[in-house]
Amino acid sequence: MATILTTSNGHAPEMTPTEPSSPQPLRAQKSGDIRSSPKYKHTFAVHSERRTSCLSSDSLKSPSYAGFRNLMGLVLVVSNLRLMMENFKKYGVLVTLSGSSIPRGDWTWFGILYLLTPCFLFIAYAIEALAAQYAKSKIAERKRSEGDGDKDGHKETVGQGKRHLFSTWRVIALCHGFNASLMLAIATVVVYFYIHNPGLAAFAQLHAVIVWLKVCSYAFTNRDLRHAYVNADSAESALPSLYKSCPYPNNITLKNLSYFWWAPTLIYQPVYPRTDRIRWDFVARRAIEFIILSVVIFVACAQYAVPLLQNSLNDFSQLHLVNLLERILKLSTISLVCWLAGFFAIFQSFLNLLAEVMYFGDREFYSDWWNCCDLRSYWTSWNKPVTHFMKRHIYAPMVGRGVPPPLAQLITFIFSGLLHELLVGVPTHNILGVAFFGMLGQIPLVWLTDPLSKIKSHNGRTAGNLIFWLTFCFFGQPVAAVMYFFAWQAKFGQDNRPEWPLQGTGKG
Amino acid sequence: MATILTTSNGHAPEMTPTEPSSPQPLRAQKSGDIRSSPKYKHTFAVHSERRTSCLSSDSLKSPSYAGFRNLMGLVLVVSNLRLMMENFKKYGVLVTLSGSSIPRGDWTWFGILYLLTPCFLFIAYAIEALAAQYAKSKIAERKRSEGDGDKDGHKETVGQGKRHLFSTWRVIALCHGFNASLMLAIATVVVYFYIHNPGLAAFAQLHAVIVWLKVCSYAFTNRDLRHAYVNADSAESALPSLYKSCPYPNNITLKNLSYFWWAPTLIYQPVYPRTDRIRWDFVARRAIEFIILSVVIFVACAQYAVPLLQNSLNDFSQLHLVNLLERILKLSTISLVCWLAGFFAIFQSFLNLLAEVMYFGDREFYSDWWNCCDLRSYWTSWNKPVTHFMKRHIYAPMVGRGVPPPLAQLITFIFSGLLHELLVGVPTHNILGVAFFGMLGQIPLVWLTDPLSKIKSHNGRTAGNLIFWLTFCFFGQPVAAVMYFFAWQAKFGQDNRPEWPLQGTGKG
């Protein structure tokens, strides 16, 4: 900043002396003929050349706007502090730590589900172990017939073996399918009918869905590994070299499965890139982040979101649209905070913590989705574990079998929509279909915003990014949250209203 | 964004086919040995190498946060839209265009002052014209005595001339001083006692102060020019070469003065850098900007600031500090909007418009003060016309005469404080001294923040910038505005409360 005062042409440098006690001698100005004598200071030619204002469009150099960016952040913090003070004045402290509103039965069922769900993973292991045994016996059989030197018989045995394997695979697939579906069905039914609190219910359902996806991945991957193993002599080496250290069927062990059970990934691999050691300070930091963010989300919901949603019940029932819009805009800030905090808590803090403790090497759980200017890149970069699963086990095999990519994409989004509905509709005990159709509705939006991804200009990308934030975080999520909340209220009504005083004469 | 999907190691490129109808053939992956056969898609090694999360501190490359910056702007806009809706719900439209609350007498006095004030500038011109005549006669006298060849007599005449000139300058200075003081005194008295509306009063006072500064500059500059003219043969060429096209006393003309009267500067120069032509589209754009911003400021004050200030009267009288803090924080956003809009309206739109119409070349009315991280650079960059005046006519001459720079700085700030008090206290009819002591209080703050200007690191400069915004725009101005408003209320009380309905039972 000192340069403004000393090098701009025509400015006397006396305003910023380096030692406050001694005046600076006048330096020769940059432009040789503008020289002010020490004697006639009042005649100094301040205006000596044409210059433009730095905010004018015809200025040579655009100024930095870093100061305004800092100001934006400051204004956000200050105005939210103010809203927090206003909320405190209105409601006092609404956050209760007792958890007394959660029925005891909820905790019991949650515990049962939490212990029961992984058992199905071990049942899947058992199925795979049997399948591996079968494959090994097939290989041994083939080797024996080869040893007999009967080439034709060998081909026939291989052919027979392939047919047997194929029908055996059907049996194996059936077993896996039944196992996995049973687990998911049990979890869904228990959550829907027996776990009342939506928070606990959501955790239980999420746990079940994660384990279900892992079971599917385990089954699919081992199926391909087994086929490659059985067809070892006819196909070229078709497996990643990474797996060579643990070839099929050496990977079908309890230890291998347990690692996969806890690893922060939905994709089964016999071998994962590993780290050398656990950095316990890293783990501690991630744990603290996770705890703090969870508290922030909990407080944000209890203190800010719930009263706001309660207050908007009236407006909704009277369809007072302007008021409802104002409520949704207010809710959008809170939902944005919860969304960003939740994203960071899960994908940055929790998964990294898990990865560090499990010596798991590949920590790319997300990429910079906040910069994306089209919805396609958003969906493929915010939640990489699920994206990897979809690509590897659903999209790529379909495309590989000749399904047209747009159709494969549609099927993938349908599958994703069903999962979202399971995760949102079941815990709130209202299968509205909003989450499902929300996901399906992403497809036209993805195609609509695809052209934006090709824009290279800064302004174009900024516009795309703003459209993304607006549609997704300002209108998408708050509206969906409001719908599920209202459905909850409609179903459970008066009994579930929290017992804090509301402003004025009740709901107003 | 497409690069995320296609070049990151291990990602199958099938998700973004360039033609939706034909599947992309699998490309060879970057890492040579990770090759997935088209046959065993379920075994694709997604996790093939160690990677870090991009938000982790140990990641190799920090991601761009442009998306979050866009989000910040969006959240600001959305939350302020919401506040505007809430305000509209509460108060309806408070902005009245009739101006009926302004007494007729105000307009009359305003008109009188507006026409009267520049007359003093022409009186100053008359004084200078006489002084120029006197100087010319002195020069003629000296030339005659030189022509007589009397060197000793010449020196004595020159010495006499200098003493005469010096005493004549005292007379001239006295005339100028009386002229300028009279003008400022008349304007101040009229504004304080006769113009009731603070807006009109502020305009009238500002006009008077600007003309007063121009009179001072005119007097000081011509004094030095005259002295250089009279001492032409003894002093080396000490004036800027820019002035050669209009040497003293050729600059003492009505035309020259009129140009200075309207030029967007407070500093008199016989010659200014000029532009060639008027760009009328530029003028039109600046005019539209100015009008729109004036409307924005007017609406912001009438619709948002005044109700807020009214509502806080109770809290102030009861000294309810938490409430008062909450009110101040809410006011700070509005005052920030008014400040930024006012700055842009005056320094970017209005002064550029004036400069374009006057063919005025030097448009540097401000520099990027929003990036500054210490108060010294703020004060020297946000209002360059006043800074130039202070430096050229107050600070530099004092330092040139041997005044220690810190003392010169103090005197400059005292002078500035007096001007601010004139501009704020007189129109609000409450000379509280808040503006004066606010300006004086800048000096310790300037010295406190000076070390921050030496910090080169990005974080250090950001911290300094945030401190600047906080102290100056969040607490400095709103608190001052509140004080002057409350003083106004205390003085004029009930009679001046606007006649719009307030929420609830009155002031609540």
Side-chain angles (χ1 to χ4, degrees):
Chain A
M1 285 295 119
T3 56
I4 296 174
L5 303 163
T6 52
T7 60
S8 291
N9 206 352
H11 290 190
E14 298 99 348
M15 198 62 163
T16 51
T18 42
E19 280 122 19
S21 51
S22 60
Q24 289 275 11
L26 257 175
R27 300 203 299 266
Q29 303 302 321
K30 278 199 161 181
S31 168
D33 59 338
I34 309 290
R35 189 181 295 258
S36 178
S37 154
K39 219 173 161 197
Y40 299 115
K41 287 206 184 316
H42 293 291
T43 61
F44 183 72
V46 174
H47 302 295
S48 54
E49 54 178 7
R50 291 191 206 170
R51 287 184 290 204
T52 54
S53 304
C54 61
L55 289 174
S56 283
S57 47
D58 55 351
S59 73
L60 296 164
K61 207 174 77 139
S62 190
S64 161
Y65 295 109
F68 284 127
R69 189 200 61 215
N70 294 335
L71 179 66
M72 273 207 298
L74 207 55
V75 172
L76 264 179
V77 169
V78 168
S79 46
N80 283 305
L81 263 175
R82 192 196 66 75
L83 285 171
M84 285 164 72
M85 287 171 77
E86 194 182 43
N87 172 289
F88 179 75
K89 258 168 58 182
K90 260 191 190 174
Y91 300 114
V93 175
L94 292 172
V95 179
T96 53
L97 286 176
S98 62
S100 57
S101 58
I102 302 176
R104 181 167 280 280
D106 279 9
W107 288 108
T108 315
W109 281 112
F110 178 80
I112 290 173
L113 260 189
Y114 189 79
L115 295 170
L116 185 69
T117 307
C119 298
F120 292 85
L121 194 58
F122 289 91
I123 293 172
Y125 159 74
I127 298 170
E128 281 302 320
L130 288 171
Q133 286 298 327
Y134 184 75
K136 275 195 268 198
S137 70
K138 280 283 147 198
I139 290 285
E141 207 180 285
R142 186 190 306 154
K143 284 205 163 92
R144 276 198 307 273
S145 53
E146 275 180 4
D148 291 346
D150 187 356
K151 283 263 151 67
D152 287 334
H154 163 65
K155 275 195 190 141
E156 196 194 295
T157 318
V158 167
Q160 259 184 346
K162 276 189 178 164
R163 281 192 305 276
H164 272 158
L165 197 62
F166 192 56
S167 59
T168 313
W169 164 244
R170 284 191 183 174
V171 170
I172 295 168
L174 220 68
C175 291
H176 272 305
F178 180 73
N179 176 50
S181 310
L182 184 67
M183 179 202 78
L184 196 57
I186 288 176
T188 305
V189 162
V190 168
V191 165
Y192 192 84
F193 289 110
Y194 295 104
I195 300 183
H196 187 72
N197 179 272
L200 266 187
F203 275 126
Q205 188 72 7
L206 185 66
H207 181 238
V209 168
I210 287 174
V211 173
W212 183 75
L213 291 171
K214 290 199 185 205
V215 165
C216 295
S217 183
Y218 194 66
F220 281 131
T221 311
N222 278 313
R223 174 251 180 182
D224 269 13
L225 286 174
R226 188 171 47 250
H227 280 215
Y229 173 70
V230 168
N231 301 332
D233 47 1
S234 60
E236 67 271 17
S237 168
L239 297 177
S241 61
L242 181 67
Y243 299 172
K244 286 190 166 60
S245 59
C246 186
Y248 188 90
N250 297 346
N251 62 314
I252 314 291
T253 64
L254 271 177
K255 186 175 172 193
N256 187 287
L257 176 72
S258 302
Y259 186 83
F260 172 55
W261 176 25
W262 284 101
T265 179
L266 296 171
I267 292 171
Y268 176 69
Q269 287 179 195
V271 181
Y272 292 101
R274 302 281 200 118
T275 54
D276 307 319
R277 58 184 186 92
I278 298 178
R279 292 166 295 173
W280 291 106
D281 58 324
F282 183 91
V283 171
R285 280 200 303 272
R286 299 288 83 80
I288 291 169
E289 277 172 14
F290 183 72
I291 290 168
I292 289 175
L293 286 167
S294 304
V295 168
V296 165
I297 296 171
F298 177 64
V299 168
C301 287
Q303 185 78 20
Y304 303 105
V306 177
L308 199 147
L309 287 165
Q310 297 282 358
N311 282 346
S312 52
L313 283 172
N314 255 353
D315 296 321
F316 184 71
S317 53
Q318 293 165 19
L319 277 182
H320 207 293
L321 285 178
V322 173
N323 286 0
L324 201 59
L325 178 64
E326 191 255 333
R327 298 279 94 193
I328 286 191
L329 287 182
K330 197 168 186 180
L331 183 61
S332 69
T333 321
I334 303 166
S335 94
L336 198 68
V337 166
C338 290
W339 173 256
L340 292 175
F343 164 79
F344 197 92
I346 296 172
F347 288 92
Q348 170 61 16
S349 305
F350 181 70
L351 290 186
N352 265 296
L353 190 155
L354 204 53
E356 187 72 18
V357 172
M358 298 295 292
Y359 298 90
F360 193 81
D362 186 2
R363 315 275 175 95
E364 209 194 58
F365 305 119
Y366 58 87
S367 60
D368 58 342
W369 57 268
W370 49 85
N371 292 328
C372 65
C373 46
D374 60 294
L375 278 179
R376 188 191 291 281
S377 47
Y378 170 74
W379 283 114
T380 51
S381 57
W382 89 275
N383 185 345
K384 292 241 170 196
V386 170
T387 303
H388 290 323
F389 182 95
M390 299 292 183
K391 262 197 238 176
R392 195 208 211 201
H393 294 304
I394 299 179
Y395 185 84
M398 279 198 283
V399 168
R401 279 166 171 66
V403 176
L407 180 62
Q409 222 172 304
L410 182 67
I411 294 171
T412 308
F413 270 98
I414 288 176
F415 179 73
S416 178
L418 289 167
L419 281 185
H420 275 80
E421 195 62 41
L422 272 181
L423 287 168
V424 180
V426 168
T428 55
H429 311 294
N430 274 301
I431 304 191
L432 295 178
V434 168
F436 176 71
F437 286 108
M439 280 308 294
L440 274 191
Q442 294 304 304
I443 300 179
L445 286 174
V446 164
W447 285 336
L448 270 172
T449 55
D450 260 345
L452 289 172
S453 66
K454 295 183 178 47
I455 298 176
K456 299 292 173 207
S457 79
H458 175 74
N459 285 345
R461 296 188 71 78
T462 303
N465 189 235
L466 287 171
I467 293 172
F468 156 67
W469 282 117
L470 262 174
T471 52
F472 202 79
C473 292
F474 276 96
F475 293 108
Q477 292 175 326
V479 171
V482 159
M483 285 191 183
Y484 279 98
F485 179 82
F486 287 156
W488 171 276
Q489 280 299 124
K491 193 162 188 175
F492 297 104
Q494 201 67 27
D495 315 304
N496 287 286
R497 191 147 303 139
E499 296 163 46
W500 48 76
L502 291 174
Q503 185 198 29
T505 57
K507 279 179 279 191
Chain B
M1 289 291 119
T3 56
I4 297 174
L5 302 161
T6 51
T7 60
S8 292
N9 206 352
H11 290 185
E14 298 100 348
M15 198 63 163
T16 51
T18 41
E19 281 123 20
S21 52
S22 60
Q24 287 277 10
L26 256 175
R27 300 205 297 268
Q29 302 302 320
K30 277 200 161 182
S31 168
D33 58 341
I34 309 292
R35 188 180 295 259
S36 179
S37 152
K39 217 174 162 195
Y40 300 115
K41 286 205 185 313
H42 293 291
T43 62
F44 183 73
V46 174
H47 301 298
S48 55
E49 55 178 7
R50 290 190 206 173
R51 287 184 289 203
T52 54
S53 305
C54 62
L55 289 175
S56 283
S57 46
D58 56 349
S59 73
L60 296 164
K61 207 174 75 138
S62 192
S64 160
Y65 296 108
F68 285 128
R69 189 200 61 214
N70 294 337
L71 179 65
M72 273 209 298
L74 206 56
V75 172
L76 265 179
V77 169
V78 168
S79 46
N80 283 304
L81 264 175
R82 193 198 65 75
L83 285 171
M84 285 164 71
M85 287 171 78
E86 193 181 43
N87 172 289
F88 180 76
K89 259 168 57 180
K90 260 190 189 173
Y91 300 113
V93 175
L94 293 172
V95 178
T96 53
L97 286 175
S98 62
S100 57
S101 56
I102 302 176
R104 180 166 282 280
D106 279 9
W107 290 107
T108 314
W109 281 112
F110 179 79
I112 289 173
L113 260 189
Y114 191 77
L115 294 170
L116 185 68
T117 308
C119 298
F120 290 86
L121 195 58
F122 288 91
I123 294 172
Y125 157 74
I127 297 172
E128 281 300 321
L130 288 171
Q133 285 299 327
Y134 185 73
K136 276 194 265 193
S137 69
K138 280 284 149 196
I139 290 280
E141 205 180 287
R142 186 190 305 156
K143 284 201 163 101
R144 275 197 308 275
S145 53
E146 275 180 7
D148 291 346
D150 185 352
K151 282 264 156 65
D152 285 331
H154 162 63
K155 275 193 189 148
E156 195 191 295
T157 319
V158 164
Q160 257 185 346
K162 277 191 179 167
R163 279 194 302 277
H164 272 157
L165 197 63
F166 192 55
S167 59
T168 315
W169 164 244
R170 282 192 185 174
V171 169
I172 296 168
L174 220 70
C175 291
H176 272 307
F178 180 73
N179 175 48
S181 312
L182 183 68
M183 179 202 79
L184 195 58
I186 288 176
T188 303
V189 162
V190 168
V191 165
Y192 192 84
F193 289 109
Y194 295 104
I195 300 184
H196 186 75
N197 180 272
L200 266 187
F203 275 126
Q205 189 72 5
L206 185 67
H207 181 238
V209 167
I210 287 173
V211 174
W212 183 74
L213 291 170
K214 290 199 184 203
V215 165
C216 295
S217 183
Y218 193 66
F220 281 132
T221 312
N222 279 313
R223 175 251 180 179
D224 270 13
L225 287 173
R226 187 171 45 255
H227 279 215
Y229 172 69
V230 167
N231 301 332
D233 48 0
S234 59
E236 66 272 17
S237 166
L239 298 176
S241 60
L242 179 68
Y243 300 171
K244 284 192 170 59
S245 57
C246 186
Y248 187 90
N250 299 347
N251 62 313
I252 314 290
T253 62
L254 270 178
K255 185 177 172 189
N256 187 286
L257 176 72
S258 301
Y259 186 82
F260 173 54
W261 177 24
W262 285 100
T265 180
L266 296 172
I267 293 170
Y268 175 70
Q269 286 179 195
V271 180
Y272 291 101
R274 303 280 201 115
T275 54
D276 308 318
R277 59 188 186 88
I278 299 178
R279 294 167 294 174
W280 291 105
D281 59 323
F282 183 91
V283 171
R285 281 200 302 273
R286 297 292 85 77
I288 291 171
E289 277 171 13
F290 181 73
I291 291 168
I292 290 176
L293 286 168
S294 304
V295 168
V296 164
I297 296 171
F298 177 65
V299 168
C301 288
Q303 185 79 21
Y304 302 107
V306 176
L308 200 146
L309 287 165
Q310 296 283 355
N311 282 346
S312 51
L313 282 171
N314 254 353
D315 296 321
F316 183 71
S317 51
Q318 293 166 18
L319 278 181
H320 209 292
L321 286 177
V322 173
N323 286 359
L324 201 59
L325 179 64
E326 192 256 330
R327 299 279 96 194
I328 286 191
L329 287 182
K330 196 166 184 180
L331 184 61
S332 69
T333 321
I334 303 166
S335 93
L336 198 68
V337 165
C338 290
W339 172 258
L340 293 175
F343 164 79
F344 198 91
I346 296 173
F347 288 92
Q348 171 60 18
S349 305
F350 182 69
L351 290 186
N352 266 296
L353 190 154
L354 204 54
E356 187 72 19
V357 171
M358 298 294 293
Y359 299 89
F360 193 79
D362 186 3
R363 316 276 175 94
E364 209 194 56
F365 305 119
Y366 58 87
S367 61
D368 59 341
W369 57 269
W370 50 86
N371 293 327
C372 65
C373 47
D374 60 292
L375 279 179
R376 187 191 292 278
S377 47
Y378 169 74
W379 284 112
T380 50
S381 57
W382 88 275
N383 185 346
K384 294 239 167 193
V386 170
T387 303
H388 291 323
F389 182 95
M390 298 291 185
K391 263 198 238 177
R392 196 212 215 198
H393 293 304
I394 299 180
Y395 185 85
M398 278 199 284
V399 169
R401 278 167 174 65
V403 175
L407 180 60
Q409 220 172 305
L410 182 67
I411 295 170
T412 309
F413 271 99
I414 288 175
F415 179 73
S416 178
L418 290 166
L419 281 185
H420 274 80
E421 194 62 43
L422 271 182
L423 287 169
V424 180
V426 168
T428 56
H429 312 294
N430 275 300
I431 304 190
L432 295 179
V434 168
F436 177 71
F437 287 109
M439 280 309 293
L440 274 190
Q442 295 302 305
I443 299 178
L445 286 175
V446 164
W447 286 336
L448 270 172
T449 56
D450 260 344
L452 290 172
S453 65
K454 296 185 180 41
I455 298 178
K456 298 293 171 208
S457 78
H458 174 75
N459 285 345
R461 297 187 69 79
T462 303
N465 189 234
L466 287 170
I467 293 172
F468 157 67
W469 283 117
L470 262 173
T471 51
F472 202 79
C473 292
F474 276 95
F475 293 109
Q477 292 174 325
V479 170
V482 159
M483 284 190 184
Y484 278 99
F485 180 81
F486 288 157
W488 170 277
Q489 281 299 124
K491 192 163 190 176
F492 297 104
Q494 200 69 27
D495 315 304
N496 288 285
R497 192 148 301 144
E499 296 162 48
W500 49 76
L502 291 174
Q503 188 199 27
T505 56
K507 278 179 279 191

